[in-house]
Amino acid sequence: MVHSILRPRLQNPTLWMQVATVLAILGLSVLLPLITLRQQMLLLLGVLGLGVVCLVFVRLPELGPTALVVVGILVPSPPLPGGMNVAVLLLILLVGLWLGEILLRKPDRRRQTVRVVWPLACLVLVSILSFGIGQLPWFMSANKAPMDAQVGGLAVFMLAPAAFLLVGYRIRSERWLMLVTWTFVVIGTVHVLGWLLPPLGSLINPLYQPGSVNNSMFWVWLVAMALSQSLFNPRLGVGWRIALLAVSGATLFVAFVLSYDWKSGWVPAMVTAAAVIAARYLSLIPVLLFTGAAPALYLGARAIATDTYSYSTRLDAWSIVLTMVKTNPLTGFGPANYRFYAPLFPIRGYRIQFNSHNQYIDIIAQIGILGLLCIVWFFGEILWLGLCLRRSAPPGFMRAYVYGTVGGVVGTLVAGMFVDWYLPFVYNIGLTGFRTGVLAWLFITYGSGWDLDWRGAVVLGGAMAMSSTAIVVKLMAERLELESEHGRRVMGVL
C-alpha cells in the first residue's frame, strides 16, 4: 500500500526537480563561506549556466545528439587537464540526465532491450575490471601511468558505449535523426569547401576545433552519410542528390589528392564508399572484390612505398606490444599503462615509451582479449542488425541511412588499423580526438529506439559512480591528502 502511494510521487519529474533545487541551494550554502568572493561569483555563474543547459536538455532531450556534433566540432574549450574538453563534459551531462530519467520514468513497453546492448555492458564491466587489475605491479622495474591518464582511458571505454546507448534512447523519430545527420553533413561540407576554396578556408578553418576534422571518423562518416543519401534516398530532389554526390566526391578528392600523405584520411573513406554501395547491392560484392582487387593492391603497395619507415616501425611496435601482453592477455594492463612498460621492451635498440598506433592492439594491451572480444561481438551485432534492416527500414531517408551506417561501420573498423580513432588512447589521439571520435558511436544506432530499464541504469550509473569514487580516493591517498582538511571535505562529498 505504501509503495502504491509513493510510486506516483517518486516518478513525478517536477517533484525531483524541486528536490534537486533544494539540494543545490543547500550545497551552495555550504560551499560559499569556504571560498573567496571572486570564486563565489564564478561558481554562481557556472551553476546558473549549467542550470539553463540542463533545463534545455530536460525539455528537449532529443537535441542532445545534435548538440554533441556541433559542440564537438565547432565549440572551443578552455584548457582543461588531460585533454578534457567541453564536448566530453557535455556527453557526461547528457548521459547523467538520461540515466536519471530512466530511474524516474515509467517503463516504456514499446521499447525493448536489444542484443547490441549486452556486448557494451560487458565492455564496461571488463574495462572496470582491467582498471582494477592494472593497479597491480606487473613489472617491478617500471611505474604505472599517472592516475589521471588511467582515469582518462577508463572514461573513453565507458563514455563511448554510453554515447551509443544515449542516441539509441533519445532518437524517437526520423526527424530528429535527420536533424543530427544534416547538421553534420552541412558542417562537414563547409570544411571541405574550405579546402577547395583557400580564401574561404582561411576564414572558416579557425572555427573548427583541434582534434575534430583531423580525425578519420570525420571523413569516414561524412562520406557515409552524404553518399548514401545521394544514391539511395529517392525522396530527395534531384538537385539535392547531385549536391550530396558532389560533397562525397569532393571529400574523397580532398582526402586522396590534397591530403594523400595522411593515409588515415583517404583509405578508410574509400573503403566506406565501396561498403555503402555493397550494402545496397549485396549480389555485387563478388564483382566489387574482383574488379577492385587490382586497384586496391596497387594503392596499398604505393601507400606503403611512400611511407616505408612508418609502416615498418608500426609492425615492430605491434610485435613488441603483443609480446608484452603475454604477461596478462585476458584483461591487459589497464587503461594507459602499457606505454609506461614499453621501455622494458626496446624497439630498434631504443628504450622509449611508444604507442602501438593500432586500435585493436591498443584494446588488447589495455583491457585484454576479453575487451577485444566485446568489441568484435558488438560490431558483429551492429553489422547483422544493419543487414536485417536493409529491407525492413522505410524507403527514403531511413533506408539510405541504414546503407550509410553499414558502410560507415566498415570504414570505422578499417580506420582502427591505422590509429586508435574511435576509442582514443590517451597518449595518442586522447580525449581531444574524442570530439569527433564519438561520431562513430552516434551514427551506428540505425535510429533504432531501445530501452534500458531502471535496473540497467542502476548498474551503469553505479559502475561509473563506484569507479570514479575509487579513483578519487586513490588520488587523494597518493597525494597524502586523505587526512587534510581538503581531503576530509572531498570524502564527505563522496
Side-chain angles (χ1 to χ4, degrees), residues 174 229 232-235 389-403 446-447:
E174 182 177 319
Q229 294 298 325
F232 307 126
N233 186 354
R235 295 183 180 178
L389 291 173
R390 287 177 64 253
R391 299 301 182 189
S392 60
F397 174 84
M398 282 305 305
R399 187 170 294 181
Y401 185 89
V402 169
Y403 298 140
Y446 296 112

Side-chain angles (χ1 to χ4, degrees), residues 62 111 167-180 397-398 446-449:
E62 299 88 351
R111 291 166 171 257
V167 176
Y169 179 82
R170 288 304 190 199
I171 297 298
R172 299 175 181 271
S173 65
E174 182 177 319
R175 65 190 182 98
W176 289 108
L177 188 62
M178 292 175 66
L179 178 63
V180 179
F397 174 84
M398 282 305 305
Y446 296 112
S448 300

Side-chain angles (χ1 to χ4, degrees), residues 68 83-93 159 431 434-435:
L68 270 177
M84 184 66 72
N85 53 75
V86 292
V88 176
L89 293 176
L90 176 60
L91 176 57
I92 293 172
L93 173 64
L159 289 176
L431 290 176
F434 199 53
R435 279 176 170 270

Side-chain angles (χ1 to χ4, degrees), residues 345-358:
F345 301 82
I347 181 170
R348 299 196 172 187
Y350 295 97
R351 294 184 178 274
I352 57 174
Q353 295 180 353
F354 61 86
N355 312 319
S356 70
H357 289 274
N358 180 289

